[in-house]
Amino acid sequence: MKLIHLTDLHFMAPGKTLYGFDPAARLRTVIATINNEHADADLCVITGDLTDEGDAAAYQLLRDILQDLRVPHRLLLGNHDHRANFLRVFPDATIDARGFVQSVLDVPAGRLIFLDTLVTDHGHGSLGCGRFEWLLERLAEEPNRPSYVFCHHPLQSVGLPHFAPHITLVPRNAVGPLVKTGSVRHIFCGHVHVDVGGTWQGVPFSASRGVAHQIIPHLERRDARFVNDAPAFNVALIRDDSVLINQFEVSSRVVVAISPEEFMPEGFQ
């Protein structure tokens, strides 16, 4: 399976900018790149912060622009989103029995599980109010199939002081039973605005710095320094024996063609 992972679009209402740039224009460049280079992908998952202020006009603009994307897509919610406004504009979005924007998609590669970690009017996320139990139930339904979890807030620490526990997932230790199922193969998340990956209790995870503004990662500073780098997204190649994550950025780079003979020294094996 080939899967596109986008995150942190931070759309504004038409005519408004964010930190001096237009988030919609940035997504348009990303969609153009995906359509030109990755239109063969099976799915595109956007892990939250679809908008910056949660207003309906921003969701409507996002809905219109996503019509140009040639890859099927799933939308998740982040802390900047507004669940009710999102559902008004995207009424076909799947919700669970409690009204959270959570769903499952079974594909040949395994089970894709999409979580809603939004806590209204707060920066941190949660799997409370039955959401964690819902997740465990979905994992228990197919205990022998590989599962891939998608969420906005990381379920684990990313090691950066400016993303302390009070603005990530609360409480984080509540998700401990997740890794004991043994079926979770990879966790995809957003929220942190940096490229980061690793393992958490043996489960690999990855995040992208996202489409909108990014954060300069620092292992000691507690203040977040935003930067207007090139929009970025990840491409996951899911195979029976591996999950490969490739990071792409959309920039005005100059491509210089080099033949294999020029690249490899003579006699290279």
Side-chain angles (χ1 to χ4, degrees):
M1 182 179 190
K2 181 176 182 179
L3 184 143
I4 308 292
H5 177 202
L6 302 184
T7 194
D8 293 277
L9 309 183
H10 287 268
F11 259 47
M12 304 291 288
K16 296 181 67 174
T17 60
L18 179 66
Y19 302 121
F21 66 84
D22 181 5
R26 293 169 73 87
L27 180 61
R28 286 189 179 97
T29 64
V30 170
I31 288 177
T33 299
I34 292 172
N35 289 343
N36 290 334
E37 301 179 12
H38 304 287
D40 60 332
D42 301 286
L43 183 68
C44 175
V45 181
I46 307 178
T47 53
D49 279 359
L50 307 175
T51 66
D52 194 70
E53 299 176 345
D55 54 310
Y59 287 117
Q60 291 165 358
L61 177 60
L62 173 61
R63 179 194 59 195
D64 294 342
I65 291 177
L66 284 175
Q67 292 179 3
D68 294 331
L69 180 62
R70 298 175 189 169
V71 177
H73 58 272
R74 287 285 181 116
L75 304 178
L76 281 64
L77 300 183
N79 53 289
H80 279 263
D81 288 307
H82 188 285
R83 194 176 291 109
N85 286 344
F86 168 79
L87 290 171
R88 289 190 191 99
V89 178
F90 295 94
D92 295 332
T94 304
I95 59 175
D96 67 10
R98 294 178 174 86
F100 293 111
V101 184
Q102 303 196 134
S103 61
V104 170
L105 179 63
D106 288 314
V107 297
R111 168 160 278 205
L112 311 184
I113 303 177
F114 309 106
L115 299 180
D116 180 340
T117 58
L118 167 62
V119 179
T120 303
D121 297 326
H122 289 279
H124 68 266
S126 174
L127 288 177
C129 301
R131 283 174 282 187
F132 184 62
E133 290 76 11
W134 179 92
L135 170 60
L136 292 181
E137 290 170 1
R138 302 293 80 75
L139 292 170
E141 289 172 347
E142 296 284 350
N144 297 319
R145 295 192 69 198
S147 299
Y148 305 88
V149 176
F150 298 82
C151 47
H152 180 69
H153 294 84
L155 304 183
Q156 68 296 313
S157 170
V158 296
L160 299 175
H162 55 258
F163 275 100
H166 70 283
I167 58 171
T168 53
L169 194 76
V170 179
R172 182 176 294 149
N173 58 7
V175 297
L178 170 69
V179 297
K180 297 179 182 178
T181 66
S183 66
V184 179
R185 200 170 181 213
H186 199 93
I187 301 170
F188 298 85
C189 53
H191 188 53
V192 293
H193 291 252
V194 298
D195 294 317
V196 63
T199 58
W200 170 62
Q201 300 191 47
V203 179
F205 70 90
S206 60
S208 167
R209 66 180 184 266
V211 175
H213 52 290
Q214 295 90 17
I215 289 176
I216 301 174
H218 199 287
L219 296 177
E220 297 178 359
R221 294 178 63 107
R222 291 191 172 273
D223 58 317
R225 294 177 294 166
F226 293 104
V227 63
N228 185 4
D229 276 346
F233 62 95
N234 288 353
V235 176
L237 302 176
I238 300 174
R239 301 167 179 167
D240 290 340
D241 61 349
S242 61
V243 177
L244 306 176
I245 308 295
N246 290 277
Q247 298 172 338
F248 292 86
E249 67 174 31
V250 181
S251 64
S252 56
R253 67 178 64 169
V254 177
V255 179
V256 179
I258 300 176
S259 68
E261 292 76 16
E262 293 176 296
F263 181 73
M264 292 185 181
E266 185 176 354
F268 182 83
Q269 298 295 325

